[in-house]
Amino acid sequence: MVTLVVASRPPIAALFLQRIEGPVHLLIPAETGHLWRAAGVDVPLHPVASWTDYNGLAAVVAKLPVARVIGTDELTIAAAGFLRSLLGLPGQTWDQAIAFTDKAVMKRRLREGGVPVARWAVAHSFAEAAQAAEEIGWPVVVKPRRGFCALGTTKVTSARQLDEFVAAGKFDGRVPAGDSERMMQASGVYDGLTAARDGFLVERCIDVDAEFSCDIVVWQAEPYLTLTTQYPVTVLEAIDTGNVWEGIALPDADPAARAVRALTLRAIEVMGLTSGQVHCEIFRTRAGDYVLGEIACRAGGAALPLLSEILFGVNTIRAGVDIAVDREPPRARARTHPFVAVVGVPLAPGQVRKVPAQADLEGLPGVLRADVRVHEGDVYGGGLGSIGAAAYLFIEANTVEPIAARMREIRAAVEPMFVVDDLERDLSLR
């Protein structure tokens, strides 16, 4: 019997392959097989054009003795759920997976369960979006029903600006040039709102005082680990200024951390999750209220898994792997640092010519650890939304405020250590 792993990218899939016993086959995006082989993946590969190509998904499993299906990330959760439901296998069903990946279904369920979310509507055209925004109240955020890392998410302040964005092609699909981005094409995250067949979300833009995330690992309804992070600026602000996700891990006793954790636990209960993990985005308004943005049934991306490992000795992706293969995940150990911040280093798109040594980065004052995500010769596309950093550096401090200034200093020192050559590339839809 075979374990079928539905996977978008080799680095994450490798963590699953290390833990699975017995034969394994990979379901991967079409036209990326050479990238998987170059990454050293040597198990059988089955390409599929799209994670919503249900006939193609069914055709793959029809010729395999599949005993278990595992999705490795948010892009593959729904496809994995579909295959489990199709084959009658245990694990998260298609309906449950849709509730965590379709933001319209998710927000409806959360609202019905009493979890505070921003006012929202589904629009099937930009004319409908403008009408919905008039009812909800400008400014609004328009976003895909499915996706992550704020890809395709745009703040719009008025009907006139919406028309300007449409005319400029801001909502049209474009595929960035990087290899990582090519692997994500099967998910449709680069298709753009113009091509959204089942509509897109129009959501009231919250008057944000602060943005947080909360990652919780749950095993048999018991939280094993909680990581609460405050962002120095909101994700949308970071993207709009050409930066990437950064965060500061808050102590468990911090009042904001306690409020964020309580709201995340309530959302877990409403969504019916008993074993698994979630990544929750939460806003605090200027009035002091906490509002849930989104909840995903996966580990947080960017540097959050490694941040958890530094603080608690548990990598959240690896904890998710354990749960996926029916093993109890490790519990968090006692926290080692009061405040740890993550500095993200973005680069201009192009071919990477020079990368600093990890030892040089970790030799910078206050740096606990460095995680370099690119190699010399890589094509860096810069199209991964909030998580498209070339490197993350982990630094420590005793309070939130001074650490923000130190983060800016570290970023300014590190960016010139990378060298990237510009590339002339066609970024239009394939």
Side-chain angles (χ1 to χ4, degrees):
M1 300 298 285
V2 167
T3 296
L4 181 65
V5 177
V6 190
S8 292
R9 289 170 289 168
I12 297 178
L15 298 175
F16 287 80
L17 296 177
Q18 295 166 6
R19 300 285 285 164
I20 298 172
E21 298 177 356
V24 179
H25 288 230
L26 280 181
L27 195 60
I28 64 167
E31 301 180 6
T32 64
H34 64 292
L35 298 173
W36 290 84
R37 295 306 186 207
V41 177
D42 59 1
V43 302
L45 304 176
H46 303 273
V48 64
S50 167
W51 298 131
T52 57
D53 177 10
Y54 298 115
N55 288 331
L57 295 172
V60 170
V61 299
K63 55 190 178 184
L64 294 174
V66 178
R68 179 169 55 189
V69 177
I70 295 175
T72 61
D73 53 52
E74 185 164 349
L75 303 178
T76 63
I77 287 173
F82 167 77
L83 291 174
R84 290 190 203 97
S85 293
L86 178 68
L87 299 173
L89 296 175
Q92 190 178 61
T93 66
W94 193 20
D95 287 344
Q96 292 168 337
I98 291 296
F100 274 105
T101 55
D102 184 327
K103 301 180 196 305
V105 177
M106 173 198 306
K107 289 176 182 292
R108 186 179 302 113
R109 182 169 296 186
L110 290 170
R111 183 178 61 191
E112 292 172 350
V115 176
V117 296
R119 291 186 62 193
W120 60 275
V122 174
H124 296 84
S125 68
F126 294 110
E128 283 188 14
Q131 182 178 355
E134 292 293 341
E135 297 174 0
I136 292 171
W138 300 95
V140 297
V141 172
V142 294
K143 63 174 71 172
R145 290 181 65 160
R146 301 164 193 84
F148 68 116
C149 300
L151 290 168
T153 300
T154 305
K155 179 181 177 180
V156 186
T157 59
S158 65
R160 178 177 179 178
Q161 187 179 55
L162 179 64
D163 290 341
E164 292 172 350
F165 284 167
V166 172
K170 188 174 182 65
F171 304 120
D172 296 343
R174 288 179 175 82
V175 179
D179 292 337
S180 293
E181 290 83 355
R182 190 187 317 173
M183 292 188 181
M184 297 201 299
Q185 289 180 217
S187 67
V189 294
Y190 298 121
D191 288 350
L193 300 184
T194 305
R197 290 175 294 181
D198 56 353
F200 53 90
L201 258 62
V202 182
E203 186 175 285
R204 173 68 178 172
C205 187
I206 298 170
D207 186 17
V208 177
D209 173 59
E211 182 175 0
F212 306 85
S213 70
C214 187
D215 284 68
I216 296 183
V217 175
V218 181
W219 178 253
Q220 297 178 356
E222 181 184 352
Y224 271 33
L225 176 150
T226 301
L227 170 63
T228 305
T229 309
Q230 181 174 344
Y231 303 167
V233 299
T234 69
V235 169
L236 284 183
E237 288 172 333
I239 294 175
D240 287 345
T241 55
N243 291 307
V244 293
W245 174 91
E246 295 181 316
I248 303 169
L250 299 178
D252 293 340
D254 183 274
R258 294 173 64 180
V260 167
R261 180 178 186 272
L263 187 54
T264 303
L265 288 172
R266 174 59 183 155
I268 289 173
E269 180 183 0
V270 169
M271 299 296 284
L273 183 70
T274 56
S275 289
Q277 57 185 325
V278 300
H279 172 71
C280 210
E281 299 282 348
I282 293 174
F283 303 98
R284 184 177 64 211
T285 71
R286 296 191 188 279
D289 300 320
Y290 288 84
V291 178
L292 192 145
E294 298 171 6
I295 183 170
C297 189
R298 58 165 174 84
L304 287 169
L306 187 51
L307 177 60
S308 174
E309 185 175 318
I310 292 170
L311 288 172
F312 306 116
V314 178
N315 183 296
T316 49
I317 291 181
R318 291 192 175 93
V321 174
D322 286 332
I323 294 171
V325 298
D326 301 320
R327 294 193 182 100
E328 181 179 0
R331 293 178 181 269
R333 72 184 181 199
R335 185 169 177 146
T336 54
H337 304 277
F339 286 93
V340 174
V342 183
V343 179
V345 182
L347 302 177
Q351 187 159 30
V352 180
R353 291 300 184 193
K354 182 180 179 181
V355 176
Q358 183 171 337
D360 291 339
L361 296 175
E362 293 178 348
L364 295 171
V367 174
L368 296 169
R369 191 162 172 180
D371 179 21
V372 180
R373 301 289 181 96
V374 297
H375 305 86
E376 292 181 4
D378 285 354
V379 175
Y380 178 82
L384 290 173
S386 61
I387 65 166
Y392 292 103
L393 287 87
F394 302 81
I395 63 177
E396 63 176 335
N398 294 320
T399 59
V400 171
E401 293 304 324
I403 207 171
R406 181 62 183 143
M407 291 169 73
R408 291 191 293 270
E409 294 172 1
I410 289 284
R411 192 187 315 112
V414 171
E415 285 179 356
M417 299 171 73
F418 291 83
V419 177
V420 180
D421 290 344
D422 292 336
L423 291 178
E424 293 277 337
R425 284 183 174 265
D426 179 10
L427 300 184
S428 63
L429 274 176
R430 55 205 180 281

